[in-house]
Structures are given as C-alpha cells and as structure tokens.
Amino acid sequence: MISRVTAEFESPDLAELAVKRIKESVNGIYSGSIIRSTNYHSRKTHEHSSVIPTAFNNYTNFMTAVMESPFSDDSIPEPYKRQNTSACIVCGSGAVDNVIAVMNSLGGLDVRSGK
C-alpha cells in the first residue's frame, strides 16, 4: 500500500535536507518533493510608500507628500519573513514510521501521514 507523509519546516534548507536524508537512508521511497510558501516572496516585490503630512498654512489646511523608498527587509514583520516549506514523501506503508522519525529528528512540524 502506498502512503504519503507531509511535514512543515521553518526553512527550505531543512526541508531539502530531510527529503535528501530520507531518500538516502529509508527503503521503499517512491518520490519526495518540496512545496515552498509564497508569503515572503510576494511581499518582497512591492515598493514601500509613506504619506507625510506637511503643514501648508495656519488655517488647518495641510498638504501631504508621498515618498517612495526601495524595499527593505526591515519593513516586513517577523512572521512574514519566515519561509515555511512543506516536504512530501510518497512511500510504501512499511517505511512510514521511519520517514516520520527522520522528519521529526530534522525539525519537522505538523507531521502527517495519509494511508
């Protein structure tokens, strides 16, 4: 019987290492793939704009200025900087326990197996 085991990793490097180590050390593996999250990359393509109020006169009329600055990694909050990556392994049912053990040992989060 064929089973699928998935886990989330905090970085693409850890997911690649887990897939590589599982393919090398566990028998009965059919395929392994990595699915990258797009949160960080989609936010990185935008310019950063700031609206600055500038006093125009003394009668409560204001003029605003918009300043565009190049994108900076400092402007992104920490949760959006993470590049969560999922690893998916398709294997035989006899190898599921070994695959789960390797994923857990390399920092896999939310490890699931579908039989």
Side-chain angles (χ1 to χ4, degrees):
M1 185 171 175
I2 296 177
S3 299
R4 181 183 65 180
V5 181
T6 59
E8 290 184 16
F9 292 88
E10 290 186 359
S11 72
D13 295 335
L14 288 174
E16 289 175 3
L17 179 65
V19 170
K20 180 181 174 189
R21 179 127 347 133
I22 288 168
K23 285 182 177 180
E24 290 174 352
S25 64
V26 179
N27 294 328
I29 304 300
Y30 297 115
S31 69
S33 61
I34 296 171
I35 303 165
R36 295 178 189 245
S37 174
T38 58
N39 288 344
Y40 179 71
H41 299 292
S42 64
R43 291 198 40 136
K44 192 170 182 171
T45 59
H46 300 302
E47 292 278 331
H48 180 69
S49 300
S50 300
V51 176
I52 301 172
T54 306
F56 185 70
N57 60 21
N58 293 336
Y59 300 107
T60 66
N61 292 327
F62 287 94
M63 175 181 68
T64 58
V66 176
M67 294 181 58
E68 291 187 5
S69 59
F71 182 80
S72 170
D73 282 337
D74 297 334
S75 64
I76 296 179
E78 179 62 31
Y80 293 109
K81 286 185 181 180
R82 294 189 186 120
Q83 296 181 1
N84 290 345
T85 305
S86 297
C88 179
I89 302 290
V90 177
C91 61
S93 60
V96 171
D97 292 335
N98 292 332
V99 170
I100 290 173
V102 172
M103 285 185 171
N104 283 331
S105 69
L106 292 174
L109 305 170
D110 195 24
V111 179
R112 296 182 183 186
S113 65
K115 295 182 180 183

